[in-house]
């Protein structure tokens, strides 16, 4: 019963509250390429453990106040605020940057995972962000304000039940993601072997049958190379430029006022829909209530690339994306994206184009510029080279990609359903509205 729930101030259920160090305490010149990692905003926002910067043991000793521990919640607190990640047993020991905040729960009163799910809910997110401040750069409110946030907690026994429900859903989501990643890695390795490393051509040039390939497929590949602007390429293959291969369309320009909740408007893929380096992120969709031109509708075979990047290290710009089939004719794309629609007289497929863009993303990344926001000009696509193999080889790869894409679509549908289930349960269970 909800009568068992008790109200606390956030400060009453924390062992510690640690805001990241001032910039002067951790200077860029003290950072290294290896050593003890520095947790940054991206580690909370994207919930991953990829690190850009490290410090040595001596600096770590001086900064131990900012060390993360198992069960800590790290929260982004500048710019993109309120995103939360929990430090797990196998996460590396490190310190937080100035743009992060550590909340260290008192485990006798609250299970760390329960607090994590609370701040992942609309209620917890609102508590953190509604009192934020800053006109140009939004920041989480100061400690005194945050610690006065009111939170209702059930007994530990019920916290465990609630956490287990969400952990079960998250486990299923993780399994789907792992299956997707494994399949994508296999397809990418296959693409690289044929179209980047030219393994079949190299094998034939040595008088060998390409490994794992039947004679009919092997006969499609030449046994020699010729020079090109991309370096040596298989004899008879050619190079065309992206702008000649595709009709290019910039996405729909919208305002924040037109954004709405799911079910109230049309889905829109945007920068948050990209996986770093290339791919579709099912939780990145936005919804918009606005009139739009049909030219912004997503169709089968469309490939999208991100033209803008706000992330450290330019992790998104130039990344490609193919939307799942469930979004075809049912969604649009935002102004920070370019749609590449292969011209009807060109014989390449969207699978080939997607993987070519993904593996050679560094070209567009290199051509991007800007201080706070980096972007590349559309005109850059006029000189972006694409290798064009013979039609029968392209078709053979596209058949493999199509089979994989059907699996991707099914997995994305399952992940969307699981995410919706979790997101609908989260506020109801966190508020005590739904009994456990």
């Amino acid at each position: 019963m909800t009568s068992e729930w008790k109200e606390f101030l956030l400060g009453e259920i924390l062992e510690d509250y640690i805001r990241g160090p001032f910039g002067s305490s951790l200077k860029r010149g003290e950072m290294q390429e290896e050593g003890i990692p520095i947790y940054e905003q991206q580690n909370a926002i994207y919930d991953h453990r990829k690190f850009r910067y490290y410090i040595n043991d001596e600096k770590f000793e001086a900064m131990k106040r900012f060390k993360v521990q198992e069960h800590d919640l790290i929260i982004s607190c500048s710019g993109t605020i309120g995103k939360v990640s929990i430090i797990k047993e196998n996460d590396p020991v490190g310190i937080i940057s100035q743009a992060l905040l550590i909340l260290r729960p008192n485990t006798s009163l609250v299970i760390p995972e329960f607090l994590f799910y609370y701040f992942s809910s609309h209620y917890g997110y609102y508590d953190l962000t509604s009192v934020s401040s800053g006109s140009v750069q939004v920041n989480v409110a100061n400690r005194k304000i945050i610690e006065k946030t009111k939170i209702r907690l059930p007994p530990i026994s019920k916290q465990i039940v609630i956490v287990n429900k969400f952990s079960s859903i998250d486990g299923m989501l993780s399994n789907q993601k792992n299956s997707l990643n494994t399949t994508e890695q296999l397809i990418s390795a296959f693409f690289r072997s044929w179209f980047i490393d030219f393994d079949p051509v190299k094998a034939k040039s040595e008088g060998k049958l390409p490994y794992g390939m039947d004679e009919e497929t092997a006969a499609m590949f030449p046994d020699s190379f010729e020079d090109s602007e991309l370096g040596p390429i298989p004899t008879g293959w050619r190079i065309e430029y992206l702008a000649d291969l595709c009709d290019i369309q910039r996405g729909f320009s919208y305002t924040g006022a037109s954004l709405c909740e799911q079910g109230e408007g049309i889905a829109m893929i945007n920068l948050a829909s990209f996986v770093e380096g290339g791919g579709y992120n099912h939780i990145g969709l936005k919804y918009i209530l606005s009139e739009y031109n049909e030219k912004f509708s997503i169709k089968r075979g469309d490939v999208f690339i991100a033209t803008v990047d706000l992330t450290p290290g330019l992790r998104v710009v130039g990344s490609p994306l193919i939307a799942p089939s469930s979004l075809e004719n049912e969604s649009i794309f935002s102004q920070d994206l370019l749609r590449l629609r292969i011209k009807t007289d060109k014989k390449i497929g969207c699978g080939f184009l997607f993987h070519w863009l993904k593996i050679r993303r560094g070209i567009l990344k290199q051509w991007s510029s800007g201080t706070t926001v980096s972007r590349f000009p559309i005109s850059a696509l006029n000189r972006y080279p694409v290798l064009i193999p013979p039609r029968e080889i392209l078709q053979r790869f596209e058949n493999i990609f199509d089979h994989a894409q059907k699996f991707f679509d099914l997995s994305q549908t399952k992940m969307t359903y699981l995410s919706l289930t979790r997101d609908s349960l989260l506020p109801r269970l966190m508020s005590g509205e739904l009994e456990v």
Side-chain angles (χ1 to χ4, degrees):
M1 298 175 62
T2 55
S3 59
E4 298 177 284
W5 292 55
K6 295 182 180 179
E7 186 171 271
F8 295 86
L9 297 179
L10 180 60
E12 295 174 335
I13 62 171
L14 297 178
E15 283 188 358
D16 212 343
Y17 175 112
I18 305 169
R19 183 69 189 262
F22 289 114
S24 57
S25 302
L26 185 60
K27 299 176 181 178
R28 182 62 61 90
E30 298 173 304
M31 299 179 187
Q32 306 175 160
E33 294 183 356
E34 57 183 22
I36 299 170
I38 299 171
Y39 284 78
E40 298 181 86
Q41 285 241 105
Q42 60 181 352
N43 300 116
I45 295 171
Y46 300 105
D47 195 27
H48 66 58
R49 297 299 180 256
K50 301 173 184 176
F51 303 99
R52 296 190 302 159
Y53 303 117
Y54 301 81
I55 54 175
N56 60 27
D57 291 342
E58 182 181 356
K59 185 63 179 178
F60 177 69
E61 284 298 319
M63 304 288 290
K64 286 184 71 172
R65 164 66 179 155
F66 306 102
K67 170 187 172 183
V68 298
Q69 299 179 15
E70 184 182 357
H71 304 313
D72 281 353
L73 271 60
I74 56 173
I75 299 175
S76 59
C77 53
S78 181
T80 302
I81 65 173
K83 300 299 182 181
V84 59
S85 179
I86 189 168
I87 301 297
K88 299 182 176 65
E89 180 181 4
N90 295 324
D91 287 340
V93 172
I95 64 167
I96 58 170
S97 70
Q98 66 184 113
L100 284 180
L101 162 69
I102 291 175
L103 297 184
R104 187 162 293 155
N106 180 338
T107 54
S108 66
L109 294 173
V110 62
I111 296 174
E113 291 79 6
F114 183 91
L115 198 58
F116 164 76
Y117 286 119
Y118 174 77
F119 283 119
S120 298
S121 73
H122 294 305
Y123 294 107
Y125 180 76
Y126 178 80
D127 286 343
L128 283 175
T129 59
S130 63
V131 290
S132 60
S133 61
S135 54
V136 178
Q137 179 86 330
V138 181
N139 293 282
V140 163
N142 65 46
R143 177 173 183 169
K144 289 183 179 179
I145 294 175
I146 294 295
E147 289 191 328
K148 289 181 180 178
T149 298
K150 295 179 179 179
I151 179 173
R152 296 178 67 245
L153 298 179
I156 291 289
S157 59
K158 287 200 172 183
Q159 291 183 38
I160 293 173
V161 174
I162 291 171
V163 166
N164 286 341
K165 288 182 182 295
F166 290 123
S167 295
S168 176
I169 295 175
D170 283 347
M172 289 186 281
L173 278 167
S174 179
N175 289 337
Q176 289 293 327
K177 289 178 182 177
N178 290 338
S179 296
L180 279 175
N181 290 338
T182 299
T183 304
E184 175 55 30
Q185 288 169 9
L186 289 172
I187 299 297
S188 293
F190 192 86
F191 181 91
R192 178 176 288 279
S193 175
W194 279 22
F195 305 117
I196 303 296
D197 298 333
F198 309 125
D199 291 332
V201 182
K202 291 177 181 176
K204 289 186 67 175
S205 70
E206 298 171 357
K208 302 175 182 177
L209 181 69
Y211 178 77
M213 184 177 287
D214 60 81
E215 291 185 5
E216 179 185 357
T217 305
M220 299 177 184
F221 290 85
D223 59 5
S224 61
F225 293 90
E226 60 185 55
D227 290 331
S228 76
E229 66 176 274
L230 293 175
I233 62 173
T235 301
W237 294 19
R238 68 186 192 279
I239 292 171
E240 293 193 34
Y241 296 96
L242 195 55
D244 297 324
L245 291 168
C246 302
D247 292 319
I248 301 170
Q249 174 66 52
R250 184 175 290 283
F252 179 70
S253 181
Y254 67 97
T255 64
S258 60
L259 294 174
C260 62
E261 295 296 324
Q262 183 178 0
E264 297 177 357
I266 190 167
M268 180 176 67
I269 62 172
N270 56 88
L271 287 179
S273 304
F274 286 82
V275 173
E276 178 182 342
Y280 175 71
N281 179 3
H282 74 286
I283 63 173
L285 277 180
K286 292 181 179 179
Y287 296 87
I288 189 166
L289 190 59
S290 175
E291 293 185 359
Y292 61 91
N293 191 294
E294 181 63 22
K295 67 182 180 181
F296 299 117
S297 291
I298 295 174
K299 306 294 183 183
R300 179 174 292 274
D302 287 346
V303 178
F304 301 89
I305 49 176
T307 64
V308 175
D309 208 320
L310 302 169
T311 66
L314 302 182
R315 298 192 308 274
V316 175
V317 70
S319 297
L321 174 158
I322 293 179
S325 59
S326 59
L327 294 180
E328 293 168 5
N329 304 308
E330 301 290 338
S331 57
I332 61 176
F333 58 105
S334 72
Q335 73 262 32
D336 295 326
L337 280 59
L338 292 180
R339 182 191 63 214
L340 307 178
R341 184 168 289 171
I342 299 169
K343 295 179 179 179
T344 54
D345 62 332
K346 304 299 180 181
K347 303 306 178 184
I348 67 169
C350 63
F352 178 89
L353 181 59
F354 168 81
H355 282 91
W356 181 264
L357 291 166
K358 183 176 180 181
I359 286 181
R360 300 183 66 86
R361 184 177 79 92
I363 295 176
L364 293 177
K365 182 178 176 181
Q366 181 180 347
W367 290 344
S368 301
S369 61
T371 51
T372 304
V373 179
S374 294
R375 66 179 74 238
F376 66 83
I378 296 181
S379 60
L381 304 187
N382 294 327
R383 61 185 193 276
Y384 183 97
V386 180
L387 181 64
I388 308 295
R391 180 189 302 182
E392 60 269 21
I393 296 177
L394 284 169
Q395 188 57 55
R396 189 63 62 97
F397 175 78
E398 212 62 30
N399 290 340
I400 296 169
F401 175 78
D402 285 345
H403 285 297
Q405 193 65 24
K406 290 176 182 177
F407 172 72
F408 294 156
D409 283 344
L410 179 60
S411 295
Q412 291 290 357
T413 299
K414 290 180 179 178
M415 290 168 67
T416 299
Y417 172 76
L418 288 169
S419 294
L420 289 173
T421 300
R422 182 192 59 192
D423 293 345
S424 64
L425 286 175
L426 199 55
R428 298 174 67 194
L429 286 172
M430 289 293 109
S431 66
E433 175 188 344
L434 191 65
E435 286 290 335
V436 294

